[in-house]
Amino acid sequence: MVAITPDYAGRMRYAWRVCSVTSLGLVLIGIAGSTLNVALPTVVRHFHATPFQSGWILLAFLLVNTASLVFFGRVADLLGRREVYLAGFALFTVASLLAGLSPDVWFLVAMRVLQAIGAAMILANGTVIITEAFPPDRLSQGMGVYMGTLSVAQLAGPTLGGLIAATAGWQWIFWVNVPAGVIAIVWGAVTLRKVPKGPKRPVDAMGNALVFAALSAIILALSEAGSAGPTSPVALIGAGLFVVLLPLVVLVERRATHPVLDLRLFGGRMLACANLASFCNAIARAALILVVALYFQAARGVDPFTAGLSVLPVPVGMALASPVVGLLGRRVSPYLLSIGGALMSAAGLGTLLLTADPATPYWIIGIGLFVCGCGSGTFLTGNTTQVMGALPSGSLGVVNGFRLMVMNVGVVLSVGLSLSVLGSAVSPEVRAQVYAGTLSALSPVAVGQLMQGFERTYTVLFAVALAGALLAALARSPRRPR
């Protein structure tokens, strides 16, 4: 038992204030993503976007955010974590304002890129700030609340996105971020203490460029495969570039003095398997709300608000599981929580796979979504606590950036892969109707083809979730000699 000294109590008061700041950042980013997932068909119809453009409204954010996470983890070590964190809030807020003023779809994609840079500055530092603020024995509680706020964001996001899309107009999907961003900037500036800057080390510019190029190539290939077929020239060229660039990335990063992907920090089995489990869980989790929202709008023909309500069991499950798991973290090891969460995610996806039909009663779908949400909340809290607790404090910034980048690569692939598999089931002529949410009005034959796409998508996500559970089981810390 830890003695409650005045210093310890003061540290905990500051830690919870810090948690409120970082949680606000996670809420801001979480709401921005989950509202757009549900409201995407409304945006697509407004701009008359093609399937390729529709995918990149989402993928541009995910790609740039993923590729810049480690970079801003390093920049924060050099310039100061507080300063970079607050600058991220400012950039995200301004980009959200401009996104609502977009005259065409490609300007919107450009603003999504700026949002992604701001979000990377926030995400690369939020978990590190939490880890440094909380005492080790209370970290699981802080991490549980921190991850739980993402659940709250995802809880409010779908309903908010559907309501905005159905009433106020698509612009407010972005403008709703502006007042929250201003509050976050002010509260963060008042609360966060300045910390000494880290040692000046060179930024791995070549590594960052190669990682971005490799991710761009594979996402372009997946996106084009979903809209024009896997044998299209762009899809084949993108896949070929990725195959060429991947070993080049490994070669360059092994020789770099301060690599963006410092693979040596993940040489141990526990960290390697834990991060690979996080990668698989991200693939299985990230596109779920988007896929299910498209299911309700494209296959069942419901409006965006109803679709937003229909996906609520996912964030409800996360919101309930994360804080409970945070409390359990003092009695149950993060290792066991990670395994349990991964298995729950697989069970929920298996339920959705077995019941993929337009006539399935909603309560069955709701149970599957709720179990997925509980699994995600449990896994994220357990896995994050396990990884962050095993890292040396001197490398928290860059290593946490790498951890998040690994997870976000899974998020990018989840969206790209899910949209590609889903779109492959219908003809190119009607594929745009899927993203616009109007396919259900065409014919029962088209809906039947689309349901085959949902079955394939759930099958892929279910298999990846099982692989994540296996990797989580392999991420056992080595026993220390007595």
Side-chain angles (χ1 to χ4, degrees), residues 91-184:
L91 181 58
F92 190 90
T93 303
V94 171
S96 297
L97 176 65
L98 296 176
L101 301 172
S102 299
D104 56 59
V105 68
W106 289 117
F107 184 89
L108 175 61
V109 170
M111 292 305 99
R112 294 282 290 159
V113 168
L114 290 182
Q115 277 189 320
I117 295 173
M121 298 167 78
I122 297 170
L123 290 174
N125 295 291
T127 310
V128 180
I129 292 172
I130 283 279
T131 303
E132 292 177 338
F134 277 87
D137 65 301
R138 302 292 291 274
L139 178 59
S140 65
Q141 286 182 274
M143 206 63 73
V145 173
Y146 179 60
M147 291 300 174
T149 56
L150 177 61
S151 310
V152 173
Q154 292 180 331
L155 179 63
T159 308
L160 185 63
L163 181 62
I164 290 172
T167 57
W170 67 269
Q171 295 90 341
W172 285 96
I173 296 166
F174 301 100
W175 289 343
V176 74
N177 301 322
V178 175
V182 172
I183 293 171

Side-chain angles (χ1 to χ4, degrees), residues 235-287:
L236 293 176
I237 292 172
L241 282 173
F242 177 75
V243 171
V244 172
L245 289 170
L246 188 60
L248 188 59
V249 169
V250 175
L251 178 64
V252 169
E253 293 307 275
R254 283 183 173 177
R255 295 183 176 182
T257 54
H258 299 286
V260 64
L261 294 178
D262 193 349
L263 302 178
R264 293 167 296 182
L265 292 169
F266 292 83
R269 190 184 77 174
M270 190 280 283
L271 285 175
C273 290
N275 279 283
L276 287 174
S278 176
F279 173 73
C280 290
N281 184 265
I283 293 179
R285 176 190 77 246

